Coordinates of all heavy atoms in Angstrom, one line a residue:
M938 N 96.6 -4.5 -63.0 CA 97.9 -3.8 -62.6 C 97.5 -2.5 -61.9 O 98.1 -2.2 -60.9 CB 98.7 -3.7 -63.8 CG 100.0 -3.0 -63.6 SD 101.3 -4.1 -63.0 CE 102.7 -3.1 -63.2
Y939 N 96.6 -1.7 -62.6 CA 96.3 -0.4 -62.0 C 95.7 -0.6 -60.6 O 96.1 0.2 -59.7 CB 95.3 0.3 -62.9 CG 94.7 1.5 -62.4 CD1 95.5 2.7 -62.4 CD2 93.4 1.6 -61.7 CE1 95.0 3.9 -61.9 CE2 93.0 2.7 -61.2 CZ 93.7 3.9 -61.3 OH 93.3 5.1 -60.7
D940 N 94.8 -1.5 -60.4 CA 94.2 -1.7 -59.1 C 95.3 -2.0 -58.0 O 95.2 -1.5 -56.9 CB 93.1 -2.8 -59.1 CG 91.9 -2.3 -59.9 OD1 91.7 -1.1 -60.0 OD2 91.1 -3.2 -60.3
E941 N 96.2 -2.9 -58.4 CA 97.3 -3.2 -57.5 C 98.1 -2.0 -57.1 O 98.5 -1.8 -55.9 CB 98.1 -4.4 -58.0 CG 99.2 -4.8 -57.1 CD 100.1 -5.9 -57.7 OE1 99.6 -6.6 -58.6 OE2 101.2 -6.1 -57.2
N942 N 98.5 -1.2 -58.1 CA 99.3 0.0 -57.9 C 98.5 1.0 -57.0 O 99.1 1.6 -56.1 CB 99.7 0.6 -59.2 CG 100.7 -0.2 -60.0 OD1 101.4 -1.1 -59.4 ND2 100.8 0.0 -61.3
Y943 N 97.3 1.1 -57.3 CA 96.4 2.0 -56.5 C 96.4 1.6 -55.0 O 96.6 2.4 -54.1 CB 95.0 2.1 -57.0 CG 94.1 2.9 -56.2 CD1 94.0 4.3 -56.2 CD2 93.2 2.2 -55.3 CE1 93.2 5.0 -55.4 CE2 92.3 2.9 -54.5 CZ 92.3 4.3 -54.5 OH 91.5 5.0 -53.7
A944 N 96.2 0.3 -54.8 CA 96.1 -0.3 -53.5 C 97.5 -0.1 -52.8 O 97.5 0.3 -51.5 CB 95.8 -1.7 -53.5
N945 N 98.6 -0.3 -53.5 CA 99.9 -0.1 -52.8 C 100.1 1.3 -52.4 O 100.6 1.6 -51.4 CB 101.0 -0.6 -53.8 CG 101.1 -2.1 -54.0 OD1 100.6 -2.8 -53.1 ND2 101.6 -2.5 -55.0
L946 N 99.7 2.3 -53.3 CA 99.9 3.7 -53.0 C 99.0 4.1 -51.8 O 99.4 4.8 -50.9 CB 99.5 4.5 -54.2 CG 99.6 6.1 -54.0 CD1 101.0 6.5 -53.5 CD2 99.2 6.8 -55.3
A947 N 97.8 3.6 -51.8 CA 96.8 3.9 -50.7 C 97.4 3.4 -49.4 O 97.3 4.1 -48.4 CB 95.4 3.3 -51.0
N948 N 97.9 2.2 -49.4 CA 98.4 1.6 -48.2 C 99.7 2.3 -47.7 O 99.8 2.5 -46.5 CB 98.8 0.1 -48.4 CG 97.6 -0.8 -48.5 OD1 96.5 -0.5 -48.1 ND2 97.7 -1.9 -49.2
A949 N 100.5 2.8 -48.6 CA 101.7 3.5 -48.2 C 101.3 4.9 -47.6 O 101.9 5.3 -46.6 CB 102.6 3.8 -49.5
I950 N 100.3 5.5 -48.1 CA 99.8 6.8 -47.6 C 99.3 6.6 -46.1 O 99.6 7.3 -45.2 CB 98.7 7.4 -48.4 CG1 99.4 7.9 -49.8 CG2 98.1 8.6 -47.8 CD1 98.4 8.2 -50.8
I951 N 98.5 5.5 -46.0 CA 97.9 5.2 -44.7 C 99.0 4.8 -43.7 O 99.0 5.3 -42.5 CB 96.9 4.1 -44.8 CG1 95.7 4.7 -45.6 CG2 96.4 3.6 -43.4 CD1 94.7 3.6 -46.1
L952 N 99.9 4.0 -44.1 CA 101.0 3.6 -43.2 C 101.9 4.8 -42.8 O 102.4 4.9 -41.7 CB 101.9 2.5 -43.8 CG 101.2 1.1 -43.9 CD1 102.1 0.1 -44.7 CD2 100.8 0.6 -42.5
R953 N 102.1 5.8 -43.7 CA 102.9 7.0 -43.4 C 102.2 7.8 -42.3 O 102.8 8.3 -41.4 CB 103.1 7.8 -44.6 CG 103.9 9.1 -44.5 CD 105.3 8.7 -44.2 NE 105.6 9.2 -42.8 CZ 106.7 9.0 -42.2 NH1 107.7 8.3 -42.8 NH2 106.9 9.4 -41.0
A954 N 100.8 7.8 -42.4 CA 100.0 8.5 -41.4 C 100.1 7.9 -40.0 O 100.3 8.5 -39.0 CB 98.6 8.7 -41.8
V955 N 100.1 6.5 -40.0 CA 100.3 5.8 -38.8 C 101.7 6.1 -38.2 O 101.8 6.3 -37.0 CB 100.1 4.3 -39.0 CG1 100.5 3.5 -37.8 CG2 98.6 4.0 -39.4
D956 N 102.7 6.0 -39.0 CA 104.0 6.3 -38.5 C 104.1 7.7 -38.0 O 104.8 8.0 -36.9 CB 105.1 6.1 -39.6 CG 105.3 4.7 -40.0 OD1 104.9 3.8 -39.2 OD2 105.9 4.4 -41.0
D957 N 103.5 8.7 -38.7 CA 103.5 10.1 -38.2 C 102.9 10.2 -36.9 O 103.3 11.0 -36.0 CB 102.8 11.0 -39.2 CG 103.6 11.2 -40.5 OD1 104.9 10.8 -40.5 OD2 103.1 11.8 -41.5
Y958 N 101.8 9.5 -36.7 CA 101.1 9.6 -35.4 C 101.9 9.1 -34.3 O 102.0 9.6 -33.2 CB 99.7 8.8 -35.5 CG 98.8 9.0 -34.3 CD1 97.8 9.9 -34.3 CD2 98.9 8.1 -33.2 CE1 97.0 10.1 -33.2 CE2 98.1 8.3 -32.1 CZ 97.1 9.3 -32.1 OH 96.3 9.4 -31.1
K959 N 102.5 7.9 -34.5 CA 103.4 7.3 -33.5 C 104.6 8.1 -33.2 O 104.9 8.3 -32.1 CB 103.8 5.9 -34.0 CG 102.8 4.8 -34.0 CD 103.3 3.5 -34.6 CE 102.3 2.4 -34.6 NZ 102.8 1.2 -35.2
E960 N 105.1 8.7 -34.2 CA 106.3 9.6 -34.0 C 105.9 10.8 -33.2 O 106.6 11.2 -32.3 CB 106.8 10.1 -35.4 CG 108.0 11.1 -35.2 CD 108.5 11.6 -36.6 OE1 108.3 10.8 -37.6 OE2 109.0 12.7 -36.7
A961 N 104.7 11.4 -33.4 CA 104.2 12.5 -32.7 C 104.0 12.2 -31.2 O 104.3 13.0 -30.3 CB 102.9 13.1 -33.3
K962 N 103.6 11.0 -30.9 CA 103.4 10.6 -29.5 C 104.7 10.4 -28.8 O 104.7 10.5 -27.6 CB 102.6 9.3 -29.5 CG 101.1 9.4 -29.8 CD 100.4 10.2 -28.8 CE 98.9 10.1 -29.0 NZ 98.2 10.7 -27.8
K963 N 105.8 10.2 -29.5 CA 107.1 9.9 -28.9 C 108.0 11.1 -28.9 O 109.1 11.0 -28.5 CB 107.8 8.8 -29.7 CG 107.1 7.5 -29.5 CD 107.8 6.4 -30.3 CE 107.1 5.1 -30.1 NZ 107.7 4.0 -30.9
I964 N 107.6 12.3 -29.4 CA 108.4 13.4 -29.4 C 108.9 13.8 -28.0 O 108.1 14.1 -27.1 CB 107.8 14.7 -30.1 CG1 107.6 14.4 -31.6 CG2 108.6 15.9 -29.9 CD1 106.8 15.5 -32.3
I965 N 110.2 13.8 -27.8 CA 110.8 14.0 -26.5 C 112.0 15.0 -26.8 O 112.7 14.8 -27.8 CB 111.3 12.8 -25.8 CG1 110.1 11.9 -25.6 CG2 112.0 13.0 -24.6 CD1 110.4 10.5 -25.1
P966 N 112.3 15.9 -26.0 CA 111.6 16.3 -24.7 C 110.4 17.1 -25.0 O 110.2 17.6 -26.1 CB 112.7 17.1 -24.0 CG 113.5 17.7 -25.0 CD 113.5 16.7 -26.2
N967 N 109.6 17.2 -24.0 CA 108.3 18.0 -24.2 C 108.6 19.5 -24.0 O 108.1 20.1 -23.1 CB 107.2 17.5 -23.3 CG 106.5 16.3 -23.8 OD1 106.4 16.2 -25.0 ND2 106.0 15.5 -22.9
T968 N 109.4 20.1 -24.8 CA 109.6 21.5 -24.8 C 108.4 22.2 -25.4 O 107.6 21.5 -26.1 CB 110.9 21.8 -25.6 OG1 110.6 21.5 -27.0 CG2 112.1 21.2 -25.1
P969 N 108.2 23.5 -25.1 CA 107.0 24.2 -25.7 C 106.9 24.0 -27.3 O 105.9 23.8 -27.8 CB 107.2 25.6 -25.3 CG 108.1 25.5 -24.0 CD 108.9 24.3 -24.2
E970 N 108.1 24.1 -27.9 CA 108.1 23.9 -29.4 C 107.7 22.5 -29.8 O 106.9 22.4 -30.8 CB 109.5 24.2 -30.0 CG 110.1 25.5 -29.6 CD 110.8 25.6 -28.3 OE1 111.5 24.6 -27.9 OE2 110.7 26.6 -27.6
N971 N 108.1 21.5 -29.1 CA 107.8 20.1 -29.4 C 106.3 19.8 -29.1 O 105.7 19.1 -29.8 CB 108.7 19.2 -28.7 CG 110.1 19.0 -29.3 OD1 110.3 19.5 -30.5 ND2 111.0 18.4 -28.6
I972 N 105.8 20.4 -28.0 CA 104.4 20.2 -27.7 C 103.5 20.7 -28.8 O 102.5 20.1 -29.2 CB 104.1 20.8 -26.3 CG1 104.8 20.0 -25.2 CG2 102.5 20.9 -26.1 CD1 104.7 20.7 -23.9
I973 N 103.8 21.9 -29.3 CA 103.1 22.5 -30.4 C 103.2 21.6 -31.7 O 102.2 21.3 -32.3 CB 103.5 23.9 -30.7 CG1 103.1 24.8 -29.5 CG2 102.9 24.5 -32.0 CD1 103.7 26.2 -29.6
K974 N 104.4 21.2 -32.0 CA 104.6 20.3 -33.1 C 103.8 19.0 -33.0 O 103.2 18.5 -33.9 CB 106.1 20.1 -33.3 CG 106.4 19.2 -34.5 CD 107.9 19.0 -34.6 CE 108.3 18.1 -35.8 NZ 109.7 17.9 -35.8
K975 N 103.9 18.4 -31.8 CA 103.2 17.2 -31.5 C 101.7 17.3 -31.6 O 101.1 16.5 -32.3 CB 103.6 16.8 -30.0 CG 103.0 15.6 -29.5 CD 103.3 15.4 -28.0 CE 103.5 14.0 -27.6 NZ 103.9 13.9 -26.3
E976 N 101.1 18.3 -31.1 CA 99.7 18.6 -31.2 C 99.3 18.8 -32.6 O 98.2 18.2 -33.0 CB 99.3 19.8 -30.4 CG 99.3 19.5 -28.9 CD 99.0 20.7 -28.0 OE1 98.8 21.8 -28.6 OE2 99.0 20.6 -26.8
K977 N 100.1 19.5 -33.4 CA 99.7 19.7 -34.8 C 99.7 18.5 -35.6 O 98.9 18.2 -36.4 CB 100.6 20.7 -35.5 CG 100.3 21.0 -36.9 CD 101.1 22.1 -37.5 CE 100.8 22.4 -39.0 NZ 100.0 21.5 -39.7
M978 N 100.8 17.7 -35.4 CA 100.9 16.4 -36.1 C 99.8 15.4 -35.8 O 99.2 14.8 -36.7 CB 102.3 15.8 -35.7 CG 102.8 14.8 -36.7 SD 104.4 14.2 -36.1 CE 105.4 14.5 -37.5
I979 N 99.4 15.3 -34.5 CA 98.3 14.5 -34.1 C 97.0 15.0 -34.6 O 96.2 14.2 -35.1 CB 98.3 14.4 -32.5 CG1 99.5 13.6 -32.0 CG2 97.0 13.7 -32.1 CD1 99.7 13.6 -30.5
N980 N 96.8 16.3 -34.6 CA 95.6 16.8 -35.2 C 95.5 16.6 -36.7 O 94.4 16.3 -37.2 CB 95.4 18.3 -34.9 CG 95.1 18.6 -33.5 OD1 94.5 17.8 -32.8 ND2 95.5 19.8 -33.0
D981 N 96.6 16.8 -37.4 CA 96.6 16.5 -38.8 C 96.3 15.1 -39.2 O 95.5 14.8 -40.1 CB 98.0 16.9 -39.4 CG 98.2 18.4 -39.4 OD1 97.3 19.2 -39.3 OD2 99.4 18.8 -39.7
V982 N 96.9 14.2 -38.5 CA 96.7 12.7 -38.7 C 95.3 12.4 -38.4 O 94.6 11.6 -39.1 CB 97.7 11.9 -38.0 CG1 97.4 10.4 -38.2 CG2 99.1 12.1 -38.5
T983 N 94.8 12.9 -37.3 CA 93.4 12.6 -36.9 C 92.4 13.1 -37.9 O 91.5 12.4 -38.3 CB 93.1 13.2 -35.5 OG1 94.0 12.7 -34.5 CG2 91.7 13.0 -35.0
H984 N 92.6 14.3 -38.4 CA 91.8 14.9 -39.4 C 91.8 14.0 -40.7 O 90.8 13.7 -41.3 CB 92.3 16.2 -39.8 CG 91.4 16.9 -40.8 ND1 91.8 17.0 -42.1 CD2 90.2 17.5 -40.7 CE1 90.8 17.6 -42.8 NE2 89.9 17.9 -42.0
F985 N 93.1 13.5 -41.0 CA 93.2 12.6 -42.2 C 92.3 11.4 -42.1 O 91.6 10.9 -43.0 CB 94.7 12.3 -42.4 CG 94.9 11.1 -43.4 CD1 94.6 11.3 -44.7 CD2 95.3 9.9 -42.9 CE1 94.9 10.3 -45.7 CE2 95.5 8.8 -43.8 CZ 95.3 9.0 -45.2
F986 N 92.4 10.7 -40.9 CA 91.7 9.4 -40.7 C 90.2 9.6 -40.7 O 89.5 8.7 -40.9 CB 92.1 8.7 -39.4 CG 93.5 8.0 -39.6 CD1 94.6 8.3 -38.8 CD2 93.6 7.0 -40.5 CE1 95.8 7.7 -38.9 CE2 94.8 6.3 -40.7 CZ 95.9 6.7 -39.9
K987 N 89.7 10.9 -40.5 CA 88.3 11.2 -40.4 C 87.8 11.8 -41.8 O 86.6 12.1 -41.9 CB 88.0 12.1 -39.3 CG 88.2 11.5 -37.9 CD 87.9 12.4 -36.8 CE 88.1 11.8 -35.5 NZ 87.7 12.6 -34.4
S988 N 88.7 11.9 -42.7 CA 88.4 12.7 -43.9 C 87.8 11.8 -45.0 O 87.9 10.6 -45.0 CB 89.7 13.3 -44.5 OG 90.6 12.3 -45.0
Q989 N 87.2 12.5 -46.0 CA 86.6 11.8 -47.2 C 87.8 11.3 -48.0 O 87.6 10.2 -48.6 CB 85.8 12.9 -48.0 CG 85.2 12.2 -49.3 CD 84.3 11.1 -49.0 OE1 83.4 11.2 -48.1 NE2 84.4 10.0 -49.7
Y990 N 88.9 11.9 -48.0 CA 90.1 11.4 -48.8 C 90.4 10.0 -48.2 O 90.7 9.1 -49.0 CB 91.2 12.4 -48.6 CG 92.5 11.9 -49.3 CD1 92.5 11.6 -50.7 CD2 93.7 11.8 -48.6 CE1 93.7 11.2 -51.3 CE2 94.9 11.4 -49.2 CZ 94.9 11.1 -50.5 OH 96.0 10.7 -51.1
F991 N 90.5 9.9 -46.9 CA 90.8 8.6 -46.3 C 89.8 7.5 -46.7 O 90.2 6.4 -47.2 CB 90.9 8.7 -44.8 CG 91.1 7.3 -44.1 CD1 92.4 6.9 -44.1 CD2 90.1 6.6 -43.6 CE1 92.7 5.6 -43.4 CE2 90.4 5.4 -43.0 CZ 91.7 4.9 -42.9
R992 N 88.5 7.9 -46.7 CA 87.5 7.0 -47.1 C 87.5 6.6 -48.6 O 87.1 5.6 -49.0 CB 86.1 7.5 -46.7 CG 85.8 7.6 -45.2 CD 84.4 7.9 -44.9 NE 84.1 9.3 -45.2 CZ 84.4 10.4 -44.5 NH1 85.1 10.2 -43.3 NH2 84.1 11.6 -44.8
T993 N 88.2 7.5 -49.4 CA 88.3 7.2 -50.8 C 89.5 6.2 -50.9 O 89.5 5.3 -51.8 CB 88.7 8.5 -51.6 OG1 87.7 9.4 -51.4 CG2 89.0 8.2 -53.0
L994 N 90.5 6.2 -50.1 CA 91.6 5.3 -50.1 C 91.3 3.9 -49.7 O 91.9 2.9 -50.2 CB 92.8 5.8 -49.3 CG 93.4 7.2 -49.8 CD1 94.5 7.6 -48.7 CD2 94.0 7.0 -51.1
T995 N 90.4 3.8 -48.8 CA 90.2 2.4 -48.2 C 88.8 2.3 -47.6 O 88.1 3.3 -47.4 CB 91.2 2.2 -47.1 OG1 91.0 0.8 -46.6 CG2 91.1 3.2 -45.9
N996 N 88.4 1.1 -47.4 CA 87.1 0.8 -46.7 C 87.3 0.6 -45.2 O 86.4 0.4 -44.5 CB 86.4 -0.4 -47.3 CG 86.0 -0.2 -48.7 OD1 85.6 0.9 -49.1 ND2 86.0 -1.2 -49.5
V997 N 88.5 0.7 -44.7 CA 88.9 0.5 -43.3 C 88.4 1.7 -42.6 O 88.5 2.8 -43.0 CB 90.4 0.3 -43.1 CG1 90.8 0.2 -41.7 CG2 90.8 -0.9 -43.9
S998 N 87.9 1.5 -41.4 CA 87.5 2.6 -40.5 C 88.6 3.4 -39.9 O 89.4 2.8 -39.2 CB 86.6 2.1 -39.4 OG 86.4 3.1 -38.4
G999 N 88.6 4.7 -40.2 CA 89.6 5.5 -39.7 C 89.5 5.6 -38.2 O 90.5 5.8 -37.5
E1000 N 88.3 5.6 -37.7 CA 88.0 5.7 -36.2 C 88.6 4.4 -35.5 O 89.2 4.6 -34.5 CB 86.5 5.7 -36.0 CG 85.9 7.0 -36.4 CD 86.2 8.2 -35.6 OE1 86.6 8.0 -34.4 OE2 86.1 9.4 -36.1
C1001 N 88.5 3.3 -36.2 CA 89.1 2.1 -35.6 C 90.7 2.2 -35.6 O 91.3 1.8 -34.6 CB 88.7 0.8 -36.4 SG 87.0 0.4 -36.2
I1002 N 91.2 2.7 -36.6 CA 92.7 2.9 -36.6 C 93.1 3.8 -35.5 O 94.1 3.6 -34.8 CB 93.2 3.4 -38.0 CG1 93.0 2.3 -39.1 CG2 94.6 3.8 -37.9 CD1 93.3 2.7 -40.5
L1003 N 92.4 4.9 -35.4 CA 92.7 5.9 -34.3 C 92.6 5.2 -32.9 O 93.4 5.5 -32.0 CB 91.8 7.1 -34.4 CG 92.2 8.1 -35.5 CD1 91.1 9.1 -35.7 CD2 93.5 8.7 -35.3
K1004 N 91.6 4.4 -32.7 CA 91.4 3.7 -31.4 C 92.6 2.8 -31.1 O 93.1 2.7 -30.1 CB 90.1 3.0 -31.4 CG 88.9 3.9 -31.2 CD 87.6 3.1 -31.2 CE 86.4 4.0 -31.2 NZ 85.1 3.3 -31.3
E1005 N 93.0 2.1 -32.2 CA 94.1 1.2 -32.0 C 95.4 1.9 -31.7 O 96.2 1.5 -30.9 CB 94.3 0.3 -33.3 CG 93.3 -0.8 -33.5 CD 93.3 -1.8 -32.3 OE1 94.3 -2.2 -31.9 OE2 92.2 -2.1 -31.8
L1006 N 95.6 3.1 -32.4 CA 96.8 3.9 -32.1 C 96.9 4.4 -30.7 O 97.9 4.6 -30.2 CB 96.9 5.0 -33.1 CG 97.2 4.6 -34.6 CD1 97.0 5.8 -35.5 CD2 98.6 4.1 -34.7
E1007 N 95.7 4.6 -30.1 CA 95.6 5.2 -28.7 C 96.0 4.1 -27.7 O 96.3 4.5 -26.6 CB 94.2 5.8 -28.5 CG 94.0 7.1 -29.1 CD 95.0 8.1 -28.5 OE1 95.2 8.2 -27.3 OE2 95.5 8.9 -29.3
K1008 N 95.9 2.8 -28.1 CA 96.2 1.8 -27.1 C 97.6 1.7 -26.8 O 98.5 1.9 -27.4 CB 95.7 0.4 -27.7 CG 94.2 0.3 -27.7 CD 93.8 -1.1 -28.2 CE 92.3 -1.2 -28.2 NZ 91.8 -2.5 -28.7

């Protein structure tokens, strides 16, 4: 039970980061305030996917996720 709950939580965290990344890419209009917000959000998510914390949550490659998100 614990392992399943841990996996569900880890997946939810990762999916939230994916959604945040996609949202940042779609922020419109590109006003100066939105550009800054967009860059910060993308940098935060990129840092998360490259972090030790991410590697603790999953064995999936954060770099691969980032590459897929860029497509």
Side-chain angles (χ1 to χ4, degrees):
M938 178 85 166
Y939 173 79
D940 288 341
E941 182 180 339
N942 291 339
Y943 172 80
N945 288 339
L946 177 59
N948 288 336
I950 292 167
I951 293 165
L952 290 174
R953 181 69 246 175
V955 168
D956 288 345
D957 287 349
Y958 188 93
K959 289 177 180 179
E960 180 182 330
K962 288 292 191 172
K963 293 180 181 178
I964 291 175
I965 298 173
N967 277 329
T968 63
E970 304 84 37
N971 283 346
I972 290 172
I973 292 168
K974 181 178 178 182
K975 178 186 217 174
E976 288 175 358
K977 181 176 178 350
M978 204 178 229
I979 290 169
N980 286 337
D981 288 349
V982 173
T983 300
H984 182 263
F985 167 71
F986 282 120
K987 294 179 179 182
S988 71
Q989 180 60 45
Y990 177 57
F991 177 80
R992 289 187 294 278
T993 300
L994 294 174
T995 185
N996 292 328
V997 176
S998 167
E1000 294 288 337
C1001 287
I1002 292 175
L1003 287 169
K1004 286 179 187 174
E1005 287 298 314
L1006 287 170
E1007 283 296 319
K1008 288 183 181 179

